[in-house]
């Protein structure tokens, strides 16, 4: 890694850090000539926070094509089918290394200034905040690749550390930094240099404790005693409980580090089959309660499964309703679904996304199904319908189907998450509550009981979506979603193996019934448990993490196997996914799902010794399907 993390980068980071700070001219006419005594550490922190918002180039690769795909919060055939781009990985690896370089350079300079007495009243606090932010950046990098250097940027060529050692280091850093942070101090640098909290020290302290809870919980399956100790210590202090304490940074349009990470118009941002199966029926809220009675003509009966097109829709997958197209809106659905995704054909919705604006594709809701000879069998109007498709290979069925993956026919993420009008969330109050709920379920000491924390987490997320008026009805619901999970904390009865539904044959119009099976998630309690407290907690956490925390959603699935992810379709073999095939697609195994990013070739080529050291710590090959340490059973 010598070309990425070494003494040379300290000089590069120093110059880059100063040249990008518009206010630095007030300190020195020539920012490149500034020495360590003159430079302000806050500028380096600002660059590290700013960069981590991810400009559109990096965001499309890491946030959208990797994290959202791996977390199944988007339907993208990248990591879910074992496919990754070395170029994309290299772009992200270089970017996160650069952000770490900025914050580490600032930390290094802060230590020297404090040693020499060249400090301001707030210098110590800026140092501790920088250490807290460094932990986040390290966790992001490690949760993608695994082993990373700990001693990077400290004027030595770094040694790679195991993922375990990285986590122990991060937890210790958070504990020490919060102990040294003076939350009573009023003096601070320019607010504009901290786009998250404006140097509100109390909020940084709460964020650090929340991060410590997050990282401690990550170890719960592989190192439970350490996880419990660290979590309980962090949760005994103040942590994020309100949205005004959330770590969130305002997005914008255009093309810079603050541009919305999901802004690129050519990325469709489809509703995923995973989200859809969790949404449908969850909470028992009727669609018309959210949309209004004018949508009633499109709403189908609760026991209706849709149109069966088994020659055009993939069936070699364990998705609950494989082979079906739903020709309307669901009777009951989690109300957040309609807040997050636009209904095809609902062009009166002011938040409907018409991307890409240079075509009329978003307005084209009619698409054909053809036969083997290419002759049109049926032309389907997807207006006011609600569907989502699994990733994978659809083979001949996909070639004959112009409907299942087309911009105008599938619900897509709404405009405010794409046009720069929202804040990008790094940590929100609902995550704190769901972490506490999980800890309480494990029997750890927590500041509130599991049920209270679980329900407060849901309430906090419903406030975010403007749905507070529906939350009490939602919390009491005992209706199962397609994965067999309900909302009510006290309702832990398991669903039946199957539930009977009506459907129509899409080709003949004949009506019949079918027994739809609730899927068996063998990653969790061998698929026998679908509605216990932990499944409820992670289901709600997963939904609440949409759309800004796909990396966390992916991490939870890697750690627990929750919530249920349907397998990619294998109508044809997946060349980069040898573990999943046509003989086992109804099963669920850890190696069916991506576990990490491979190290980029830039690292292998520039530092073969460091690369081999990192791979040796993996306990497996440098492969997409090699689990990280914390995702392995004890």
């Amino acid at each position: 890694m010598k070309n990425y993390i070494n003494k040379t980068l300290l000089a590069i980071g120093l110059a880059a850090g100063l040249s990008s700070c518009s206010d630095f001219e007030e300190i020195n006419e020539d920012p490149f000539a500034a020495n360590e005594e003159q430079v302000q550490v806050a500028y380096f922190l600002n660059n590290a926070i700013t960069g981590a918002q991810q400009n559109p180039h990096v965001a499309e690769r890491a946030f959208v094509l990797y994290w959202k795909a791996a977390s199944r919060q988007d339907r993208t055939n990248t990591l879910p089918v074992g496919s990754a781009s070395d170029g994309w990985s290299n772009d992200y690896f270089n970017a996160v290394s650069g952000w770490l370089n900025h914050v580490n350079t600032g930390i290094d300079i802060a230590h020297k200034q404090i040693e020499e007495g060249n400090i301001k009243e707030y210098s110590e606090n800026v140092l501790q905040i920088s250490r807290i932010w460094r932990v986040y950046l390290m966790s992001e990098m490690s949760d993608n690749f695994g082993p990373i250097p700990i001693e990077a940027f400290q004027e030595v060529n770094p040694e790679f550390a195991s993922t375990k050692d990285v986590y122990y280091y991060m937890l210790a850093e958070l504990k020490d930094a919060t102990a040294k942070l003076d939350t009573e101090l009023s003096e601070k640098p320019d607010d504009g240099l901290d786009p998250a909290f404006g140097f509100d020290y109390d909020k940084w302290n709460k964020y650090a404790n929340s991060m410590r809870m997050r990282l401690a919980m990550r170890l719960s399956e592989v190192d439970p005693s350490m996880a419990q100790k660290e979590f309980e210590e962090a949760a005994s202090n103040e942590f994020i409980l309100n949205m005004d304490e959330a770590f969130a940074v305002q997005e914008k349009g255009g093309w810079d580090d603050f541009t919305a990470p999901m802004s690129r118009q050519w990325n469709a941002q489809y509703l995923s089959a995973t989200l859809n199966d969790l949404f449908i029926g969850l909470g028992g809220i009727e669609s018309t309660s959210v949309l209004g009675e004018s949508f009633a003509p499109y709403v189908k009966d609760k026991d209706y499964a849709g149109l069966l097109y088994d020659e055009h829709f993939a069936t070699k997958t364990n998705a609950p309703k494989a082979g079906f197209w739903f020709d309307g809106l669901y009777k009951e659905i989690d109300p957040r679904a309609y807040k997050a995704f636009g209904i095809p054909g609902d062009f009166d919705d002011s938040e409907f996304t018409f991307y890409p604006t240079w075509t009329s594709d978003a307005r084209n809701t009619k698409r054909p199904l053809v036969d083997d000879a290419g002759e049109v069998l049926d032309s389907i109007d997807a207006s006011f319908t609600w569907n989502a498709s699994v990733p994978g290979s659809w083979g001949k069925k996909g070639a004959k189907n112009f409907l299942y993956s087309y911009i105008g026919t599938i619900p897509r993420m709404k405009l405010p998450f794409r046009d720069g009008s929202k804040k990008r969330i790094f940590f929100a109050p609902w995550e704190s509550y769901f972490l506490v709920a999980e800890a309480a379920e494990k029997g750890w000491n927590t500041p509130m009981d599991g049920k209270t924390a679980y329900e407060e987490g849901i309430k906090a997320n419903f406030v975010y979506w403007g749905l507070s008026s529906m939350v009490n009805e939602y919390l009491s619901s005992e209706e199962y979603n397609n994965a067999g999970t309900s909302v009510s904390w006290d309702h832990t009865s398991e669903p039946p193996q199957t539930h009977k539904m009506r459907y129509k044959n899409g080709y003949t119009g004949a009506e019949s019934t079918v027994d739809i099976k609730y899927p068996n998630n063998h990653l969790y309690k061998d698929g026998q448990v679908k509605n216990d407290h932990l499944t409820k907690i992670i289901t709600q956490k997963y939904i609440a993490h949409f759309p800004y925390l796909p990396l966390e959603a992916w991490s939870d699935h890697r750690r627990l196997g929750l919530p249920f992810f349907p397998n990619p379709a294998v109508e044809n073999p997946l060349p980069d996914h040898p573990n999943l095939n046509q003989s086992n697609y109804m099963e669920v195994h850890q190696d069916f799902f991506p576990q990490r990013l491979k190290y980029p070739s830039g690292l292998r080529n520039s530092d073969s010794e460091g690369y081999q050291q990192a791979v040796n710590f993996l306990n497996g090959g440098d492969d997409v399907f090699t689990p990280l340490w914390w995702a392995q059973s004890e």
Side-chain angles (χ1 to χ4, degrees), residues 343-361:
I343 300 169
D346 186 16
F347 305 139
D348 291 332
D349 181 354
S350 62
E351 296 184 344
F352 188 90
T353 302
F354 289 96
Y355 292 174
T357 53
W358 54 83
T359 76
S360 60
D361 289 353

Side-chain angles (χ1 to χ4, degrees), residues 235-505:
S236 68
N237 296 297
E238 291 188 324
F239 51 86
I240 294 171
L241 290 174
N242 300 295
M243 197 60 203
D244 64 357
E245 301 167 344
F247 196 114
V249 178
Q250 181 62 53
E251 299 173 343
K252 58 184 288 190
W255 187 291
D256 64 20
D257 287 331
F258 290 106
T259 302
M262 297 170 281
S263 62
R264 296 307 92 188
Q265 292 198 22
W266 48 81
N267 296 138
Q269 305 288 340
Y270 290 127
L271 169 66
S272 73
T274 300
L275 267 171
N276 201 36
D277 284 331
L278 299 180
F279 280 150
I280 294 169
L282 191 66
I285 305 292
E286 295 196 356
S287 288
T288 51
S289 297
V290 186
L291 301 172
E293 288 299 324
S294 62
F295 286 79
Y298 310 111
V299 176
K300 301 295 184 178
D301 292 337
K302 187 175 177 180
D303 66 343
Y304 178 65
L307 301 174
L308 180 62
Y309 284 108
D310 53 354
E311 295 299 319
H312 289 80
F313 286 83
T315 55
K316 289 183 171 62
T317 169
N318 60 347
K321 293 182 181 177
F324 284 90
W325 168 263
F326 199 74
D327 54 333
L329 303 177
Y330 284 91
K331 180 76 170 179
E332 297 174 350
I333 195 168
D334 190 303
R336 291 170 289 188
Y338 293 134
K339 293 290 186 177
F341 294 93
I343 300 169
D346 186 16
F347 305 139
D348 291 332
D349 181 354
S350 62
E351 296 184 344
F352 188 90
T353 302
F354 289 96
Y355 292 174
T357 53
W358 54 83
T359 76
S360 60
D361 289 353
R363 295 183 180 273
N364 185 3
T365 61
K366 292 183 179 181
R367 300 292 286 168
L369 303 180
V370 302
D371 61 20
D372 291 333
E375 298 295 325
V376 174
L377 287 175
D378 199 357
S379 181
I380 297 178
D381 189 347
S383 296
F384 302 99
T385 64
W386 192 266
N387 292 274
S389 302
V390 295
S393 172
W394 282 46
K396 290 196 307 180
K397 295 179 180 181
K400 298 187 296 182
N401 186 337
F402 295 88
L403 179 72
Y404 78 105
S405 186
Y406 184 72
I407 289 171
T409 61
I410 304 296
R412 293 179 302 126
M413 195 170 60
K414 288 197 171 183
L415 187 61
F417 298 104
R418 310 202 63 183
D419 65 3
S421 59
K422 289 282 190 180
K423 287 186 176 182
R424 180 181 168 188
I425 295 171
F426 285 79
F427 205 109
W430 48 80
E431 183 176 353
S432 296
Y433 285 118
F434 291 133
L435 286 167
V436 170
E438 182 177 352
E441 189 64 17
K442 294 179 183 302
W444 299 353
N445 293 319
T446 54
M448 65 190 81
D449 63 85
K451 178 179 180 179
T452 299
Y454 168 77
E455 293 186 343
E456 288 301 315
I458 295 173
K459 289 177 182 177
N461 194 241
F462 268 57
V463 169
Y464 175 77
W465 290 102
L467 293 166
S468 296
S469 63
M470 298 181 178
V471 73
N472 289 333
E473 179 184 356
Y474 183 88
L475 288 170
S476 65
S477 173
E478 298 182 357
E479 299 290 330
Y480 298 112
N481 62 13
N482 281 358
T485 307
S486 67
V487 175
S488 172
W489 179 263
D490 298 320
H491 177 245
T492 55
S493 300
E494 288 295 311
Q497 291 293 311
T498 63
H499 55 295
K500 193 174 293 294
M501 302 193 78
R502 297 181 301 105
Y503 76 95
K504 289 183 181 180
N505 185 301

